[in-house]
Amino acid sequence: MSASEILYPESEDEVARLVAEAARAESPMEIRGGGTRRGLGRPLQTASTLSVARLSGITNYDPTELVMAARAGTPLEEIEAALGENNQMLTFEPMDHRPLYGVEGTPSIGGVFAGNISGPRRISAGAARDNLLGVRFVNGSGEIVKSGGRVMKNVTGLDLVKLMAGSWGTLGVLCEVIFKVLPRPETAVTIAVRGLNDAQAAEAMAAAMSMSVEVSGAAHLPESVIYKMMGGTLDSGPATVLRLEGLEPSVAVRSTRLVEEMRRRGEVTVLDADATSVLWREIRDVKPYEGGGPKPVWRVSVAPSAGHQLVAALRLKTGVDAFYDWQGGLVWLQMEADPEAQLVRQYIKALGGGHATLVRADPAMRAEVPVFEPQAAVLETLSRRIKDQFDPSGVLNPGRMTVAM
């Protein structure tokens, strides 16, 4: 196998054969789907690449059951088109990383679950792994493994299913995924509160989430990023944005209540369904930092009350820009120069804990800096044992997540 060789198996059995051959030869392989998220993780040096792009197609979908099964290489746009025909959707709103990396390609449904990719609706609908019901995959020995099932109440093997979500191809090659879907909301509006600073915005989002209005998205866009959203149409100071979705009569009643509450905090504007769709797609895809530029980008998860404190502390030490999703608990940081990994993680620990992922940086930085949050010694030992069980020869995406793996 040459370093440039890309293998395109067309069946699960062929995946198993190729992985088994690589394991016997102890020849490492890069595992990928559409290749649109290759910039996330430590850079790989492998003898070959195995792409599941040709393992494509929806294998089972009955809209009345709210469950879909698809081969891992199925383009995400094909999944969403089929769901759209039945007014259904992926509730966890997976991010499209192409704008952030400035790349082309076709995101796959397998890649979404392999990375546990979740967007703004995570606070109300759960993460990608919470919607994954079953998997078929090939482990590092070339064995075909099935876990979970199509019936939503079937919890057999559920822990194994969740383990595969977020493993980034280091434990197995996903061949098929089975997942929940839900009806698409009839309409949506966004309540935008203007002029709040980061701390005030955190309080406003917490107040909104405590109300019985069912907020499905809560984000804060400071002045430094607001002009980059929606073609600059929101450029009149910071905006704290709150999304409501559902049946039109229900949304109308709930939005009235939320507007009344938020007017006590600042000037309020209401965005209609079309504007809401554009805005939350741009928040999901981190539009302020798009283009694949050289500045490092972090994805930081902390307690919602700690997000603005983290940013304030960092700004005293280094150049950083930021905006907030998940009620302030998800902080997107763009650093002006170096990743400042030690500083970022030091402040996260001081503020009660959390985790930080270096989502974008040049390969040299990603090789030097721990891209994913370092684990405690006990968890690291457990992770190594799991890796040894699933991939004893260490041929699947070796080192993508940590040096130890």
Side-chain angles (χ1 to χ4, degrees):
M1 294 180 181
S2 66
S4 60
E5 184 176 13
I6 302 179
L7 308 172
Y8 291 98
E10 298 187 5
S11 70
E12 184 179 71
D13 288 338
E14 191 176 356
V15 172
R17 177 181 63 80
L18 291 170
V19 172
E21 290 175 357
R24 286 193 294 269
E26 297 185 345
S27 179
M29 310 178 82
E30 176 186 352
I31 310 302
R32 78 183 196 202
T36 61
R37 299 183 174 92
R38 297 182 72 201
L40 206 163
R42 300 182 70 253
L44 298 175
Q45 294 182 352
T46 59
S48 62
T49 296
L50 188 153
S51 170
V52 299
R54 293 181 185 170
L55 270 67
S56 182
I58 296 170
T59 55
N60 187 277
Y61 175 41
D62 183 346
T64 62
E65 293 183 352
L66 299 178
V67 174
M68 177 181 281
R71 295 184 179 91
T74 308
L76 183 59
E77 60 187 19
E78 182 178 328
I79 299 289
E80 292 178 331
L83 293 174
E85 291 176 359
N86 294 282
N87 289 318
Q88 294 180 345
M89 67 176 184
L90 297 171
T91 60
F92 53 91
E93 211 168 1
M95 174 184 175
D96 183 349
H97 282 76
R98 288 176 294 183
L100 188 65
Y101 294 131
V103 300
E104 298 181 352
T106 304
S108 66
I109 190 64
V112 166
F113 285 110
N116 190 33
I117 308 300
S118 312
R121 205 178 283 111
R122 165 74 171 78
I123 59 173
S124 62
R129 66 161 52 94
D130 300 315
N131 292 268
L132 186 61
L133 299 174
V135 293
R136 290 181 65 94
F137 65 94
V138 173
N139 67 16
S141 299
E143 300 167 329
I144 297 172
V145 181
K146 176 185 177 182
S147 182
R150 289 189 170 88
V151 181
M152 290 174 61
K153 64 182 179 181
N154 182 1
V155 295
T156 303
L158 189 59
D159 288 345
L160 181 55
V161 171
K162 291 184 181 295
L163 186 64
M164 292 302 295
S167 62
W168 290 96
T170 61
L171 301 179
V173 183
L174 283 175
C175 295
E176 184 181 44
V177 290
I178 305 164
F179 48 93
K180 294 186 293 186
V181 301
L182 281 179
R184 179 182 293 172
E186 183 177 278
T187 192
V189 299
T190 296
I191 312 303
V193 191
R194 312 311 300 264
L196 304 185
N197 62 34
D198 291 6
Q200 292 169 332
E203 294 177 358
M205 288 188 287
M209 295 300 297
S210 69
M211 298 175 65
S212 58
V213 294
E214 300 176 18
V215 173
S216 68
H220 178 61
L221 309 172
E223 194 163 7
S224 61
V225 304
I226 193 68
Y227 72 96
K228 300 177 183 178
M229 310 297 289
M230 297 184 66
T233 57
L234 292 178
D235 187 13
S236 59
T240 307
V241 291
L242 306 163
R243 181 176 59 186
L244 302 177
E245 299 176 299
L247 298 174
E248 287 193 15
S250 172
V251 170
V253 172
R254 288 183 285 134
S255 63
T256 297
R257 289 182 56 201
L258 188 55
V259 167
E260 289 175 355
E261 172 61 30
M262 291 299 113
R263 276 183 176 153
R264 302 173 185 175
R265 301 172 182 274
E267 178 187 347
V268 172
T269 56
V270 180
L271 306 182
D272 64 16
D274 290 339
T276 291
S277 177
V278 172
L279 174 63
W280 288 94
R281 183 171 62 250
E282 293 182 352
I283 292 172
R284 181 198 73 181
D285 296 343
V286 196
K287 182 175 177 58
Y289 308 141
E290 68 179 4
K295 294 181 179 180
V297 173
W298 288 95
R299 181 184 185 274
V300 176
S301 180
V302 291
S305 60
H308 68 94
Q309 299 179 59
L310 171 66
V311 174
L314 287 171
R315 283 176 173 159
L316 294 176
K317 296 289 186 177
T318 190
V320 59
D321 191 26
F323 75 93
Y324 309 83
D325 197 359
W326 296 3
Q327 193 196 324
L330 176 62
V331 188
W332 288 99
L333 303 172
Q334 179 171 266
M335 315 303 288
E336 287 301 313
D338 295 332
E340 302 282 6
Q342 184 176 355
L343 190 64
V344 169
R345 289 179 167 136
Q346 172 190 332
Y347 284 142
I348 290 173
K349 183 177 181 180
L351 288 168
H355 55 84
T357 303
L358 184 58
V359 175
R360 187 180 73 196
D362 66 42
M365 288 181 179
R366 289 189 285 117
E368 180 180 350
V369 172
V371 173
F372 294 93
E373 186 71 24
Q375 295 179 316
V378 173
L379 290 177
E380 185 176 354
T381 299
L382 178 60
S383 295
R384 277 203 293 262
R385 288 177 179 173
I386 292 172
K387 174 68 171 175
D388 290 342
Q389 287 288 323
F390 281 79
D391 183 20
S393 299
V395 297
L396 303 180
N397 278 353
R400 180 170 188 178
M401 297 189 73
T402 67
V403 174
M405 292 176 68

